[in-house]
Amino acid sequence: MAQSTLSKFFTAQERTKLQYTCKTDQLETVILQMKNKSNHLDNVQLNIAVMGDAGSGKSTFINAIRDLWSDDQGAAPTGNEETCLEPTRYPYRDLPNVQLWDLPGTNSFGFELNNYLKEVKFESFDFFIIVSQSRFRENDAEIAKKIQEQGKELYYIRSKIDNDAHSLKKQGVDLAGGWSTIRRDCISNFQSVGVTPPAIFLISSFEREEYDFPKLKTTLARDLPSIKSNVFSLSIPKMVREITEAKRSSLVKRVWFLAILSGAVGAAPVLVPSSKPMSMPVWSLFTTIGFTVTGWIYLRKQLGLSDTFLQSLANKITKPSSILKAESNHRLPKKIPPTVTNVLLGITMVTCMITGIKYSFRPVTLSVFGAVSSFAFTYKLLKDSLNDCLETVQRLVQSALNRD
Ligand SMILES: Nc1nc2c(ncn2[C@@H]2O[C@H](COP(=O)(O)OP(=O)(O)OP(=O)(O)O)[C@@H](O)[C@H]2O)c(=O)[nH]1
Ligand SMILES: [Mg+2]
């Protein structure tokens, strides 16, 4: 299961092509290829985690949905002893490219939920089925909360419902009324911990034609395309990071180059013996601003973030260009990030201070100050700008691929 996010959706050849296309400044092609992929997710493998307390009936459910009984070949081991100690994968032949993962009981690993989630690599699963028996568990609510925090989806299964049917009958309670009470109880328990109630199924893994078992199978088959589409959408930030990685490292080298150049030019007045020492900090300030602005324009150009690009992309994906422009302008100079203002303020203050005690430093000292400050500030500002530009690319891809 250890794979890059990109490799989940793209073949090795497609990945290399995407990374190369991005490196050669064709952001529009990258976005169009991703959009095309988002419409063809049939072959994408979906990893469904089946979770719940030990003994809740997870393995028996996995066997049931795969049309197997516990003693059939390839069936998951079941029993009253704790049987599953590490995640185990089972193919679900009814739905191609779906893998069911039988996870250890959520009360395993010393009952520490976060520890458990780390052990089972919780974040690597795409969809979740929580299996719970006889009553609502606190653990189930906590897990559902964590799933929804990740933006992922789940089903909630109330297992061993044949046992409940037996008890209800013995108590002379009408079954339909009993099921409504269980559902209401689950919904209010989810709501009480701030979880949007998921789809709830009351099933028996032994009586597979009864209760909600048939409905669960058809609902899963029906929901599969939208689950895949949601997983793709959630993966966009990571995929963009992986696609732009090579481009990012080459731009980081340019940032270093510009910062070193800025440092060298910031120190330049020492070469001019007649220059007044008081003019040096001012020179350094202007050098920093000059290089930063030039570098910022260069970075945006390198990443292809121009109005012409946005207009052309909007036409191709038939989306109003205003939406893409809003994403792109999110952090333009009219909305200068606080770090930039703080740093510029800092330079101005230092400059004024040094200018205030004019002639008290030797030109060489001032030149060293000019070189170091120009280098440091240009590097910091351009590195932040690069991160901003890459975030903009990420938002643009997300916005371009959103179906609305
Ligand atoms: N009556 C009834 N018993 C069930 C049902 N599902 C599971 N069981 C029984 O519950 C016990 C535990 O089931 P498992 O499927 O092994 O439970 P598990 O959640 O996989 O347990 P661990 O792997 O230990 O975490 C077994 O004896 C099953 O036969 C069901 O739908 N109805
Ligand atoms: Mg099991």
Side-chain angles (χ1 to χ4, degrees), residues 30-57:
V30 171
I31 295 177
L32 294 178
Q33 277 172 8
M34 289 185 81
K35 189 158 182 68
N36 183 38
K37 179 58 75 175
S38 73
N39 294 327
H40 299 95
L41 296 173
D42 294 351
N43 292 330
V44 169
Q45 186 173 294
L46 205 70
N47 291 296
I48 301 181
V50 179
M51 309 177 85
D53 280 357
S56 58

Side-chain angles (χ1 to χ4, degrees), residues 266-270 275-281 283-284 350-351 354-355 357-373:
V270 79
S275 67
K276 290 181 186 168
M278 69 170 283
S279 65
M280 288 178 193
W283 170 259
S284 152
V350 173
T351 305
I354 293 177
T355 309
I357 46 171
K358 56 184 174 180
Y359 302 117
S360 63
F361 289 123
R362 287 174 40 207
V364 172
T365 316
L366 285 173
S367 234
V368 170
F369 165 78
V372 172
S373 61

